[in-house]
Amino acid sequence: AGGPGAGKPFPISVKDAARAESGNTCVFCEQNTQRTAGPAQSNIYHAIPKSRGGNNTLPNAQNTCRTCNLDKGTRTTREYEDELRRRQQN
């Protein structure tokens, strides 16, 4: 979090690198992501949200499907993973 890229969108080069790093797979549900519109659309999101000081560097970029990205909202990756675990326990 923080630094010169805090609160800014990811450059295309970082988005492409995040997709390649994940093998075009959502980091949460492991669904294959694609660049076309729909629930499996690749969304590169901030592990630490922009609204909470997250920067636009590759370590803060993660590839998710649109569905998981919308569900995650403004939570950090850790907060969202904790929420997913709680849901599975119920």
Side-chain angles (χ1 to χ4, degrees):
K8 296 188 177 170
F10 293 112
I12 291 172
S13 61
V14 171
K15 290 181 178 185
D16 290 343
R19 286 184 183 102
E21 193 175 83
S22 73
N24 286 315
T25 302
C26 176
V27 298
F28 296 118
C29 70
E30 299 180 355
Q31 173 177 290
N32 287 331
T33 60
Q34 55 198 21
R35 292 194 181 206
T36 56
Q41 181 178 359
S42 172
N43 283 192
I44 306 303
Y45 85 97
H46 293 75
I48 300 172
K50 287 191 305 184
S51 63
R52 295 170 69 179
N55 61 35
N56 64 354
T57 61
L58 183 57
N60 197 41
Q62 292 184 309
N63 184 43
T64 66
C65 67
R66 184 185 72 185
T67 302
C68 287
N69 188 39
L70 292 173
D71 190 43
K72 178 188 169 283
T74 59
R75 291 176 273 200
T76 66
T77 295
R78 174 83 184 239
E79 290 167 348
Y80 184 59
E81 288 173 340
D82 289 346
E83 172 67 21
L84 292 175
R85 278 191 282 286
R86 279 192 294 274
R87 289 180 194 173
Q88 289 174 349
Q89 292 173 352
N90 294 330

